[in-house]
């Protein structure tokens, strides 16, 4: 999957033949062929000409618009997918309480289990760090999730497990960068900035995959329905937050790829990544997505990006046929 990340603030994207030309202050910064391009992600104050927009729509390429800090703003879609039968099934399953609770519980169990496994992996390399209290809390919550409680109770359990997980996550950071607890809008420290930035990009990718298959991404099973919120994308991302984004952030910080010099403070936006920091983040994000992992059940080795795509297709079969859904478990 080829993604074009546009991050240079104040630039303009023009079209020449079948190529996108990125220009700023009269200088050409880059040229990218439209052929083979899967999606475009625009960060912040960047202009796309109408010719560029028309060409991308004609080529079936989705354009996503995020703030310079990674907050999702909206998308430009080439057209609605024709898989109306999937969307009908999706609506029907949403009204099925047993189906909703079962699927939502599977998602939460996978999220909690993946966080637990990440802690265990770190513990093997750092036996001097005591994670026993956090792991005990997480394992107790897992047992409560297995009984498939009502969605409000399930969300509460997921929140408690997440709090315990981030207490352990704080211990996994070997850096002077500040991190006390998870904060979102705005992120109040550099670590939260990195987490939020990564989650936004990942949710955007999943949103693109959901549209491609034919889902209505605004109807979720764990996150339900809320005006303007891509609830299904938020459901799907839960399996991958810890093994992809959190692991990426740990690598960036503990290996000092990103340091305090890569951040600045904005009164409205909180702590933000600078230009060079964004570049390093995206480069390492792409490297992470080229890592190989094992598919559930088959054990076939694929990249993380292909894994998520195949899991989205599996979710569509689950919703169409009630076939059991097997979430991704990181090991």
């Amino acid at each position: 999957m080829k993604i074009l990340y546009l991050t240079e603030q104040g630039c303009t994207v023009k079209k020449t033949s079948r190529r996108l030309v990125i220009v700023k202050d009269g200088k050409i910064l880059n040229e990218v062929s439209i052929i083979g391009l899967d999606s475009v992600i625009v960060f912040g104050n960047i202009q796309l000409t109408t010719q560029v927009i028309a060409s991308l729509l004609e080529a079936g390429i989705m354009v996503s618009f995020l703030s310079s800090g990674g907050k999702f703003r909206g998308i430009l879609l080439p057209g609605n997918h024709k898989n109306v039968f999937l969307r009908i099934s999706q609506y029907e399953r949403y009204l099925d309480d047993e189906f909703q609770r079962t699927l939502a519980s599977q998602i939460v169990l996978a999220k909690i289990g993946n966080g637990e496994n990440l802690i265990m992996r770190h513990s093997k390399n750092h036996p001097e760090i005591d994670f026993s209290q956090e792991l005990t809390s997480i394992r107790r919550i897992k047992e409560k999730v297995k009984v498939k409680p009502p969605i409000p109770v399930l969300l509460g359990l997921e929140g408690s497990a997440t709090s315990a997980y981030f207490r352990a996550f704080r211990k996994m950071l070997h850096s002077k960068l500040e991190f006390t607890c998870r904060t979102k809008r705005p992120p109040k420290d550099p670590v939260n900035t990195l987490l939020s930035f990564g989650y936004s990009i990942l949710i955007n990718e999943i949103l693109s995959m959901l549209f491609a298959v034919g889902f209505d991404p605004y109807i979720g099973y764990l996150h339900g329905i809320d005006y303007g919120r891509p609830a299904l994308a938020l459901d799907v991302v839960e399996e991958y937050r810890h093994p992809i984004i959190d692991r990426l952030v740990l690598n960036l910080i503990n290996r000092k790829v990103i340091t305090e010099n890569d951040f600045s403070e904005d009164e409205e936006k909180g702590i933000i990544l600078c230009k060079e920091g964004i570049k390093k983040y995206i480069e390492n994000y792409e490297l992470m997505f080229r890592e190989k992992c094992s598919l559930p059940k088959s054990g076939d080795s694929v990249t993380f990006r292909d894994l998520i795509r195949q899991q989205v297709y599996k979710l569509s079969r689950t919703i169409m046929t009630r076939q059991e859904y097997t979430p991704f478990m990181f090991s």
Side-chain angles (χ1 to χ4, degrees):
M1 186 174 187
K2 184 179 178 182
I3 301 174
L4 173 61
Y5 298 93
L6 297 171
T7 61
E8 182 66 40
Q9 299 304 289
C11 74
T12 299
V13 184
K14 301 180 179 181
K15 176 179 173 290
T16 300
S17 185
R18 297 288 290 168
R19 301 183 68 80
L20 302 179
V21 182
I22 297 96
V23 179
K24 183 176 180 180
D25 299 329
K27 297 180 181 179
I28 296 177
L29 303 181
N30 194 14
E31 292 188 30
V32 180
S33 174
I34 294 176
I35 299 170
L37 194 61
D38 293 291
S39 69
V40 176
I41 303 180
V42 181
F43 291 89
N45 180 30
I46 295 170
Q47 305 298 316
L48 276 62
T49 66
T50 53
Q51 291 86 352
V52 167
I53 292 172
S55 295
L56 293 173
L57 289 173
E58 289 172 5
I61 298 169
M62 190 179 90
V63 184
S64 303
F65 296 91
L66 282 69
S67 71
S68 57
K71 182 179 179 182
F72 178 75
R73 286 176 169 170
I75 53 177
L76 182 65
L77 285 173
N80 289 328
H81 197 284
K82 297 179 175 62
N83 194 354
V84 63
F85 300 108
L86 173 58
R87 293 196 292 277
I88 290 173
S89 295
Q90 190 182 351
Y91 304 146
E92 291 174 345
R93 300 296 175 265
Y94 176 77
L95 299 174
D96 183 335
D97 182 67
E98 179 63 25
F99 180 91
Q100 185 178 10
R101 286 165 63 167
T102 297
L103 180 58
S105 297
Q106 288 172 322
I107 291 169
V108 172
L109 277 174
K111 178 184 181 180
I112 295 174
N114 286 337
E116 177 187 6
N117 289 341
L118 184 59
I119 296 169
M120 292 297 294
R121 280 178 58 142
H122 195 87
S123 179
K124 288 178 182 178
N125 295 324
H126 297 276
E128 74 280 4
I129 303 176
D130 182 12
F131 294 106
S132 58
Q133 186 175 354
E134 292 83 8
L135 287 170
T136 297
S137 296
I138 288 170
R139 288 162 182 165
R140 285 175 178 168
I141 294 168
K142 277 176 65 178
E143 294 304 310
K144 295 179 181 179
V145 171
K146 288 178 181 178
V147 302
K148 298 185 289 188
I151 300 299
V153 176
L154 189 59
L155 286 169
L157 292 171
E158 184 267 336
S160 297
T162 298
S163 295
Y165 164 81
F166 276 114
R167 289 196 296 273
F169 186 82
R170 183 173 58 202
K171 296 179 182 180
M172 289 188 261
L173 294 166
H174 310 300
S175 166
K176 295 179 181 179
L177 289 178
E178 182 183 352
F179 178 76
T180 52
C181 62
R182 180 77 179 109
T183 59
K184 302 177 184 179
R185 302 181 186 88
K188 296 180 180 179
D189 57 61
V191 177
N192 274 296
T193 294
L194 294 175
L195 291 169
S196 294
F197 191 77
Y199 294 155
S200 292
I201 300 174
L202 181 55
I203 290 168
N204 177 78
E205 275 209 55
I206 290 171
L207 192 61
S208 174
M209 294 177 189
L210 293 172
F211 273 119
V213 172
F215 277 109
D216 181 338
Y218 294 93
I219 295 181
Y221 297 91
L222 173 63
H223 292 90
I225 297 176
D226 193 6
Y227 187 84
R229 182 177 66 178
L232 189 60
L234 297 176
D235 286 358
V236 174
V237 78
E238 299 295 5
E239 295 175 42
Y240 311 105
R241 288 183 188 269
H242 304 326
I244 297 180
I245 301 303
D246 295 5
R247 194 159 58 93
L248 170 62
V249 170
L250 285 172
N251 288 338
L252 291 173
I253 293 174
N254 291 344
R255 295 178 182 177
K256 295 181 170 56
V257 176
I258 287 181
T259 67
E260 59 269 19
N261 296 326
D262 291 306
F263 299 89
S264 61
E265 188 168 2
D266 183 278
E267 289 185 4
E268 294 182 0
K269 300 176 182 178
I271 305 297
I272 59 175
L273 265 173
C274 68
K275 177 181 175 180
E276 187 61 29
I278 290 174
K279 180 181 177 181
K280 288 189 284 189
Y281 195 106
I282 290 173
E283 287 175 353
N284 284 275
Y285 175 90
E286 283 298 317
L287 287 174
M288 178 72 76
F289 260 88
R290 293 182 199 132
E291 275 191 17
K292 294 293 184 72
C293 56
S294 297
L295 284 169
K297 289 191 175 181
S298 72
D300 293 340
S301 183
V302 296
T303 65
F304 270 113
R305 186 166 277 131
D306 287 337
L307 164 79
I308 298 174
R309 185 181 291 107
Q310 292 192 42
Q311 288 294 99
V312 167
Y313 278 105
K314 286 182 181 179
L315 180 60
S316 71
R317 289 195 293 272
T318 292
I319 288 172
M320 290 284 287
T321 68
R322 294 181 182 273
Q323 175 181 320
E324 183 181 358
Y325 178 69
T326 305
F328 167 66
M329 289 301 301
F330 178 63
S331 59

